[in-house]
Amino acid sequence: MPILSASRRVLRYRIARALLIIFAIWNLAEIHLIQHRIHEADHAIPRHRPQKQERIYIASINWNNELVLRSHWIKALTQLVMRLGPENVFISIYESGSYDNTKGALRELDWELERMRVPRNITLSPVTHEDELAAPARGEGWIHTSNGKKQLRRVPYLARIRNLSLLPLRDLARQGITFDKVLFLNDVVFTPNDVLELLYTNNGEYGAACSLDFSKPPNYYDTFALRDSEGHEPIMQTWPYFSSAVSRHAVKKLSPVPVTSCWNGMVAMPASPFIDSPPLRFRGIPDSLASYHLEGSECCLIHTDNPLSVEMGVYLNPLVRVGYSGAAYTAMHPVMNWLSAKAILQGLWVNRLRRLGVTSWLKEEVVRRRLNAWRALSTRNEERGEICIINEMQILHRYGWAHV
């Protein structure tokens, strides 16, 4: 009997050791495969631009961005214009009542673009957040909060500003001057090669293509707008981000990632929907729905409203990574800085464990119940951007915005 017990212990030990070896080999093989793809991406021949020279409408909204404008953004933009050709671009910038010297930085950019003979429209608005808040609370975009006050919602305000940056696009179209793509640029650190790579995402065929953005690496920044191929929020802010198998497998291959919505610093979209009749416009969810303590990003809703999203697809390009500071940008380049062997192993297993949880489902269920309660009030209450809606209420205040 003791001999039999000893043999069983030896057998269990050997099985456990074999399983441990298989587990280690499996992890090492997966890490090796991903790092091989990283090596290929880091040493790839620069992509060719499309044979047809595209015309690009570059749109940007600015508020208190002087530091990054002077340190990186203006230089990168002027370099990009030279790469694309001044005759192939139009730059539309709308600055909205900054408290720093953003206006001064943009005046200097305007002078430089004049010297380069770049067609443009740079609007420097004197209207500050304080002025917006002091205006009579009329029309859409205002909401009653728990303190009994009627306050200005952040998202409809941002949607209005973004639409103002697109006004010259429609004016030019009426004059017969059209563009192939609209490039939306946040206040990020980028290079011309980043933009060219973004424009060529999926061989230039997409309803939208987005970069990845970083403020405090390795966490990505824009959690408000990013949704995976199944319409869910990412389950983690670090690689590989997604619960959807389609999105997750694509990001592991460093190939264009199918998503339903993204923004993340830089976005390229076909220009045609913005000059259609009626034109595609940025918007917020209705005030009556927002009163249920719900909100949806204008940068997410634009994709659910865009007819080309389903027809051509929306993609996140993991090869294009931008930062909200020079340090953040440097931390994510080259790819190996972003995805070390340790980061890959940790990311794979954190992602697997989180997919076993129900936290995301519970968050979505809270939103779904409130949305259904709103829909039950009227047959006219409908919101096609359900994937964008989260359990938040955001208002504008003098120095930015706040949750209430």
Side-chain angles (χ1 to χ4, degrees), residues 308-323:
L308 297 183
S309 293
V310 174
E311 181 182 332
M312 301 180 69
V314 178
Y315 296 93
L316 185 77
N317 191 332
L319 295 179
V320 185
R321 300 174 306 284
V322 298

Side-chain angles (χ1 to χ4, degrees), residues 283 285 296 300-301 304-305 375 383-389:
R283 67 176 179 90
I285 62 173
C300 177
L301 294 167
T304 62
D305 293 349
R375 283 173 170 153
E383 175 52 67
R384 60 180 168 266
E386 180 173 350
I387 65 166
C388 304
I389 300 176

Side-chain angles (χ1 to χ4, degrees), residues 357-400:
V358 295
T359 304
S360 297
W361 180 86
L362 290 173
K363 288 171 62 178
E364 291 175 5
E365 182 60 23
V366 169
V367 170
R368 193 176 296 112
R369 285 200 304 269
R370 295 178 189 175
L371 187 56
N372 288 339
W374 173 74
R375 283 173 170 153
L377 295 177
S378 170
T379 55
R380 292 178 296 178
N381 284 356
E382 189 50 60
E383 175 52 67
R384 60 180 168 266
E386 180 173 350
I387 65 166
C388 304
I389 300 176
I390 61 174
N391 178 17
E392 287 187 9
M393 183 180 285
Q394 300 178 4
I395 61 165
L396 205 69
H397 72 64
R398 180 178 180 182
Y399 295 110

Side-chain angles (χ1 to χ4, degrees), residues 150-390:
K150 198 170 187 180
Q151 304 203 52
L152 184 62
R153 291 174 56 206
R154 174 188 179 231
V155 169
Y157 167 77
L158 288 175
R160 173 162 53 89
I161 299 300
R162 292 192 191 281
N163 288 329
L164 288 172
S165 76
L166 291 172
L167 284 179
L169 178 67
R170 294 190 276 275
D171 292 340
L172 291 166
R174 285 189 283 269
Q175 300 170 39
I177 302 171
T178 59
F179 296 84
D180 299 289
K181 300 273 173 52
V182 176
L183 174 68
F184 296 98
L185 282 179
N186 279 15
D187 52 330
V188 293
V189 177
F190 69 96
T191 68
N193 283 339
D194 291 327
V195 173
L196 297 179
E197 180 70 46
L198 182 70
L199 292 171
Y200 197 62
T201 300
N202 198 45
N203 295 319
E205 298 295 321
Y206 45 77
C210 310
S211 62
L212 263 172
D213 59 345
F214 299 89
S215 177
K216 297 179 180 179
N219 290 10
Y220 84 93
Y221 178 76
D222 189 355
T223 60
F224 199 15
L226 185 58
R227 300 292 184 271
D228 68 20
S229 64
E230 296 178 357
H232 303 300
E233 292 182 43
I235 57 174
M236 53 196 295
Q237 275 190 263
T238 52
W239 182 95
Y241 312 111
F242 305 109
S243 58
S244 156
V246 171
S247 299
R248 192 173 67 253
H249 292 162
V251 80
K252 286 164 68 175
K253 294 177 182 176
L254 296 180
S255 59
V257 182
V259 293
T260 50
S261 168
C262 56
W263 199 257
N264 303 92
M266 291 198 306
V267 187
M269 299 177 70
S272 55
F274 295 101
I275 58 173
D276 283 346
S277 185
L280 179 65
R281 292 173 58 85
F282 290 93
R283 67 176 179 90
I285 62 173
D287 293 342
S288 60
L289 178 55
S291 67
Y292 282 75
H293 199 273
L294 296 174
E295 193 53 274
S297 169
E298 80 284 4
C299 297
C300 177
L301 294 167
I302 197 75
H303 299 298
T304 62
D305 293 349
N306 182 8
L308 297 183
S309 293
V310 174
E311 181 182 332
M312 301 180 69
V314 178
Y315 296 93
L316 185 77
N317 191 332
L319 295 179
V320 185
R321 300 174 306 284
V322 298
Y324 289 91
S325 67
Y329 186 92
T330 300
M332 306 310 294
H333 295 82
V335 183
M336 196 64 77
N337 281 10
W338 170 36
L339 293 178
S340 64
K342 179 182 177 182
I344 292 169
L345 181 63
Q346 180 175 314
L348 291 171
W349 282 100
V350 170
N351 187 276
R352 286 174 182 134
L353 293 172
R354 291 197 177 186
R355 277 185 276 136
L356 298 174
V358 295
T359 304
S360 297
W361 180 86
L362 290 173
K363 288 171 62 178
E364 291 175 5
E365 182 60 23
V366 169
V367 170
R368 193 176 296 112
R369 285 200 304 269
R370 295 178 189 175
L371 187 56
N372 288 339
W374 173 74
R375 283 173 170 153
L377 295 177
S378 170
T379 55
R380 292 178 296 178
N381 284 356
E382 189 50 60
E383 175 52 67
R384 60 180 168 266
E386 180 173 350
I387 65 166
C388 304
I389 300 176
I390 61 174

Side-chain angles (χ1 to χ4, degrees), residues 64-175:
N64 289 356
N65 304 136
E66 180 189 8
L67 183 61
V68 73
L69 288 176
R70 293 189 186 279
S71 65
H72 294 87
W73 198 87
I74 289 175
K75 180 179 179 181
L77 180 64
T78 53
Q79 290 174 341
L80 174 63
V81 168
M82 295 307 297
R83 292 284 294 274
L84 294 173
E87 70 282 5
N88 295 312
V89 302
F90 185 95
I91 295 175
S92 176
I93 296 174
Y94 192 94
E95 183 277 335
S96 53
S98 297
Y99 296 112
D100 65 359
N101 196 26
T102 293
K103 284 182 172 64
L106 291 175
R107 287 190 185 98
E108 292 173 19
L109 171 62
D110 191 34
W111 298 333
E112 179 62 17
L113 295 176
E114 172 67 23
R115 185 189 67 78
M116 298 169 66
R117 298 185 178 180
V118 179
R120 67 204 179 276
N121 182 81
I122 299 178
T123 299
L124 306 179
S125 172
V127 181
T128 65
H129 281 195
E130 194 170 14
D131 297 327
E132 296 279 0
L133 297 171
R138 300 195 189 104
E140 285 289 308
W142 295 82
I143 196 166
H144 287 284
T145 55
S146 57
N147 60 10
K149 295 181 179 179
K150 198 170 187 180
Q151 304 203 52
L152 184 62
R153 291 174 56 206
R154 174 188 179 231
V155 169
Y157 167 77
L158 288 175
R160 173 162 53 89
I161 299 300
R162 292 192 191 281
N163 288 329
L164 288 172
S165 76
L166 291 172
L167 284 179
L169 178 67
R170 294 190 276 275
D171 292 340
L172 291 166
R174 285 189 283 269
Q175 300 170 39

